[in-house]
Amino acid sequence: MLVMLGTALPVAAQTNLIGYWNPIFHEDVDERIPGPSIGDYLGLPITDAARLRAEAWDASILSIPEHQCKPHPSTYGFRGVGVLRIWEDRDEDTQQLVTIHTHIAWQEQHRRIYMDGRPHPPEYAQHTWQGFSTGTWEGDVLVVKTTHLKAGWMRRNGLPLSDRATMTDRFHRYGDVMTHVMIVEDPVYLTEPLVKTNGFLLQPAGTMTPYPCDPVIEVVRDPGFVPHYLPGQNPFLGEFAETYGLPRAATRGGAHTALPEFAETLR
Amino acid sequence: MTARAAPAVALLAVAGLACAQPTRAPGPPPSAREAAPIDLTGQWVAIVNEDWRWRMVTPPKGDYASVPLNDEGRRVADQWDPSQDGACEAYGAAALLRMPTRLRIRWDGDERLVIETDAGRQTRNLEFGMPLPAAARSLQGLSRAKWVLPPRPAGGPGLAGAGGGPVRAGGYLEVETTNLTPGWLRRNGVPYSEDAVVTEYFARFTAPDGSEWLMVTTIVDDPRYLTQRYIVSNHFRKEPEGGRWNPRPCGASS
């Protein structure tokens, strides 16, 4: 009987995250609304390989049909624009929580966070933009583990994440404010976990509209052409540093650029 | 009631009996230190990977992007002069934890948590005891603190969580700070007034690689200079005791 209780009973009275949440853009507004500058890697713990990939990135790639309707991967989506809606599915008979859904309006980023204790699939299973997510409660904080991600990005200026990246995210609610924490690990493009926080404000009368996307030919190009820069040939990498009077050593990023002692070197 | 629901009700009834809690023996309530659901003490380093160019360096005059200033707030911000860079107004309670800084957090007795920063050499006292002492307005103001515990799982302690894993205790610290002197939300003179009320939430978590993190969500409510609440969050990584500590007083060019 006790074994049955231990496995069958739900843990109730957790924080209610259900509702519509508007992103708060009081932080990183340049990156998150208009989009980051080319060559801005400030404070990010990137590897040399990530920097090399980013320096080859050409924003024109977003204009080719195969890239026009891409959603953000879940490793970035919570930093983007668009209302967030959260709801849950419960088993009709037992009322156990089975799934928490998060849906972000832009490009219809829909995550399913399984709360029923199911395991993650084997490594060879399909990788998707939102990945495979399972959740647990840590007190009143929802903690989510995501694997099986497609190769994506950590910033919208070409900074990549590999398909080996995983994410742990946490949902902390404080009244009508929610702080979402992302902890992204990637053995290919990060030297240490990338921790980011995003604020959301509860929207009692929120709405969600569809976001249909149909790719079109925006620019006629030779078949198979992929916009890019070869190493050393991107002419825009220095613009960000020049515009804001920052040393290139800072804008090229790396874990050390996030530490207080790095600020001391800038005086 | 369906045939399937009846056994479930019986199970719940048994669970309620099994999880009945012993009656707490009468006695004095635990101190704030004893009641702490999480341990915030130790040395923490700010990881500045958000708002980098507004936090690691002094931004240009008039750069108040993303701060919800009203007209009066912009007027005051536009009066800032670069010669004021490094002034202590940038190290007030509303923005101190935005600085590239290290924190040392310790208990002073059982009802006061102390936060020291090496940037600006500031000290904040988070008071759990009541009432707060009368004091003149100051850069760090008066901070009233309380622990917030998560709701107790209905399944009772020791039962598996809905996700199959154990449910950990959690909880966080809530701090409200008032009685402030005017200060700056950014080093370039973006202002908050003495009317500001600063609410902060301190949480702690462990990353998958084992590193320990402190996250502080800060909400500044200032009807004099802001059109809405200013909401940011800062994260700090735990460091070994006695690690790098570089006190730099404010008031000089920093």
Side-chain angles (χ1 to χ4, degrees):
Chain A
M1 175 67 82
L2 288 177
V3 172
M4 289 177 64
L5 289 172
T7 56
L9 286 177
V11 172
Q14 306 294 355
T15 290
N16 185 1
L17 301 172
I18 295 171
Y20 291 88
W21 297 86
N22 277 341
I24 301 167
F25 292 108
H26 294 167
E27 296 179 277
D28 281 348
V29 67
D30 286 354
E31 174 201 341
R32 297 175 61 192
I33 297 185
S37 298
I38 303 295
D40 171 9
Y41 318 138
L42 291 166
L44 300 179
I46 57 173
T47 62
D48 289 341
R51 193 176 295 107
L52 186 65
R53 280 281 306 273
E55 289 177 352
W57 187 79
D58 182 344
S60 293
I61 199 168
L62 300 176
S63 69
I64 63 176
E66 292 87 345
H67 289 259
Q68 288 173 16
C69 294
K70 288 187 303 187
H72 287 312
S74 56
T75 45
Y76 185 87
F78 282 73
R79 298 185 62 68
V81 296
V83 176
L84 165 68
R85 178 185 168 213
I86 301 179
W87 73 100
E88 62 181 31
D89 288 341
R90 288 184 178 267
D91 181 276
E92 287 185 14
D93 294 322
T94 66
Q95 291 304 307
Q96 282 207 74
L97 179 59
V98 177
T99 311
I100 293 176
H101 298 259
T102 66
H103 187 100
I104 296 172
W106 189 83
Q107 298 290 11
E108 301 185 341
Q109 303 161 64
H110 186 167
R111 288 174 81 187
R112 291 171 177 81
I113 302 166
Y114 297 108
M115 303 295 294
D116 55 1
R118 73 184 68 183
H120 282 238
E123 192 175 348
Y124 58 77
Q126 183 184 23
H127 284 222
T128 62
W129 290 114
Q130 303 307 313
F132 187 92
S133 297
T134 54
T136 55
W137 292 102
E138 191 173 298
D140 53 356
V141 177
L142 174 63
V143 182
V144 181
K145 177 73 175 176
T146 299
T147 58
H148 294 79
L149 289 155
K150 289 170 78 95
W153 50 91
M154 69 183 94
R155 184 168 273 185
R156 288 186 286 146
N157 58 0
L159 275 178
L161 286 173
S162 79
D163 60 2
R164 294 169 63 190
T166 58
M167 177 171 70
T168 302
D169 50 346
R170 305 171 58 88
F171 297 75
H172 297 248
R173 180 171 177 173
Y174 307 115
D176 64 348
V177 172
M178 179 169 69
T179 303
H180 173 253
V181 186
M182 304 162 49
I183 308 160
V184 181
E185 297 176 288
D186 185 351
V188 181
Y189 292 128
L190 292 172
T191 60
E192 62 182 44
L194 171 63
V195 178
K196 287 275 199 177
T197 56
N198 313 298
F200 289 87
L201 197 59
L202 186 64
Q203 193 70 16
T207 59
M208 180 74 70
T209 54
Y211 198 98
C213 181
D214 294 312
V216 297
I217 302 294
E218 294 182 1
V219 181
V220 177
R221 295 188 171 98
D222 293 337
F225 176 75
V226 178
H228 67 281
Y229 292 103
L230 290 174
Q233 295 184 13
N234 188 334
F236 303 113
L237 293 176
E239 282 189 352
F240 175 69
E242 292 166 15
T243 300
Y244 294 102
L246 301 170
R248 285 290 298 278
T251 61
R252 286 172 58 78
H256 65 290
T257 63
L259 295 170
E261 47 267 38
F262 187 78
E264 295 167 26
T265 70
L266 300 173
R267 296 201 188 102
Chain B
M1 182 179 295
T2 66
R4 248 189 315 182
V9 170
L11 279 175
L12 288 168
V14 173
L17 292 173
C19 299
Q21 298 296 300
T23 305
R24 180 186 171 87
S31 67
R33 187 173 188 168
E34 292 169 331
I38 53 174
D39 181 12
L40 300 177
T41 62
Q43 179 162 318
W44 306 85
V45 60
I47 301 299
V48 184
N49 58 22
E50 296 167 349
D51 271 2
W52 194 101
R53 69 180 182 82
W54 291 286
R55 297 170 61 190
M56 293 289 268
V57 296
T58 302
K61 178 178 179 175
D63 185 350
Y64 26 72
S66 81
V67 181
L69 288 179
N70 61 21
D71 289 344
E72 180 63 7
R74 279 189 290 273
R75 187 189 68 77
V76 173
D78 289 339
Q79 292 176 346
W80 179 80
D81 185 274
S83 65
Q84 297 173 273
D85 190 14
C88 289
E89 282 85 346
Y91 296 84
L96 179 63
L97 301 189
R98 295 292 280 168
M99 285 290 171
T101 187
R102 283 179 166 79
L103 313 178
R104 283 181 175 169
I105 303 180
R106 59 179 169 80
W107 285 99
D108 178 14
D110 288 338
E111 302 293 339
R112 174 184 293 159
L113 202 54
V114 178
I115 302 177
E116 296 173 287
T117 66
D118 61 355
R121 293 184 68 171
Q122 297 296 306
T123 301
R124 295 184 62 190
N125 294 321
L126 313 184
E127 309 282 359
F128 291 81
M130 298 286 281
L132 288 178
R137 291 182 182 276
S138 66
L139 202 56
Q140 303 308 330
L142 290 177
S143 295
R144 186 189 312 268
K146 66 177 181 183
W147 295 114
V148 180
L149 305 177
R152 196 161 142 197
L159 295 182
V167 175
R168 293 169 57 178
Y172 58 89
L173 177 66
E174 179 177 334
V175 178
E176 182 180 277
T177 300
T178 56
N179 216 42
L180 291 160
T181 51
W184 300 341
L185 296 171
R186 285 187 179 157
R187 295 146 69 130
N188 61 348
V190 176
Y192 64 87
S193 76
E194 64 181 15
D195 298 334
V197 176
V198 180
T199 305
E200 297 166 293
Y201 302 96
F202 293 69
R204 178 178 172 159
F205 60 88
T206 306
D209 70 342
S211 55
E212 294 288 332
W213 294 78
L214 167 67
M215 182 186 68
V216 185
T217 297
T218 301
I219 302 173
V220 182
D221 198 344
D222 182 4
R224 189 181 299 188
Y225 293 141
L226 300 177
T227 60
Q228 58 179 257
R229 290 175 294 173
Y230 176 60
I231 304 170
V232 295
S233 46
N234 309 299
H235 46 282
F236 301 82
R237 188 171 58 207
K238 189 88 184 278
E239 291 193 320
E241 297 289 339
R244 182 188 173 97
W245 184 256
N246 182 22
R248 309 173 304 279
C250 62
S253 183
S254 63

